[in-house]
Amino acid sequence: MHAIPNTVHEGMKVYDSAMNAIGTVETFRITDEAPGAPEIDAAGVSPVLDEERDTLAGLLADVFQPDDGLPREMQEKALREGFVRLDADGLFASDRYIFPEHIDRVEGDKLVLAVRKDDLLKV
């Protein structure tokens, strides 16, 4: 996929490429731009991230948690292309970031990935 599907929602179950349930959608941001018209801000965000921010630094601080350890270039990629933050199943499981290229499809209330859980960026 080239974008986060607009049918993604918080609490949606996430499955890896082998159809193993790996967690749920914690939060998401669909994209920062309208395809083919980068001057238009077409962001769709989860309710957690719904407030407008005046600066990139302010937006980054609100979207990404300090303990994520996500490098700034990955934060900027996530804001530009969209992302899903996976609340991974398991007591000691690390949460992960899902980018558009990791998504295969949406089937009803399931987000199905084209990769395995270990291929996702850990938080």
Side-chain angles (χ1 to χ4, degrees):
M1 289 209 152
H2 299 292
I4 301 296
N6 62 3
T7 54
V8 168
H9 60 84
E10 291 175 0
M12 179 179 249
K13 287 296 283 179
V14 180
Y15 294 81
D16 70 5
S17 59
M19 292 304 291
N20 297 312
I22 61 172
T24 57
V25 172
E26 180 179 321
T27 191
F28 64 92
R29 182 177 174 92
I30 293 178
T31 184
D32 197 29
E33 300 175 346
E39 68 281 358
I40 298 173
D41 182 7
V45 298
S46 67
V48 171
L49 306 176
D50 204 17
E51 294 183 18
E52 290 293 324
R53 296 292 171 230
D54 294 333
T55 66
L56 177 60
L59 183 59
L60 291 174
D62 285 343
V63 173
F64 302 104
Q65 300 170 6
D67 59 347
D68 280 359
L70 194 62
R72 182 158 178 129
E73 61 271 7
M74 293 306 292
Q75 292 176 359
E76 291 174 2
K77 170 188 169 58
L79 291 177
R80 186 177 57 252
E81 297 176 11
F83 70 92
V84 172
R85 184 179 165 122
L86 172 72
D87 182 8
D89 287 343
L91 185 58
F92 297 107
S94 296
D95 290 348
R96 316 268 174 149
Y97 278 97
I98 299 168
F99 293 102
E101 63 268 19
H102 299 139
I103 298 173
D104 183 39
R105 65 191 179 279
V106 173
E107 289 181 355
D109 204 33
K110 298 178 188 173
L111 179 61
V112 181
L113 305 181
V115 298
R116 294 203 175 251
K117 179 180 175 180
D118 290 340
D119 296 328
L120 300 173
L121 184 63
K122 284 185 185 179
V123 176

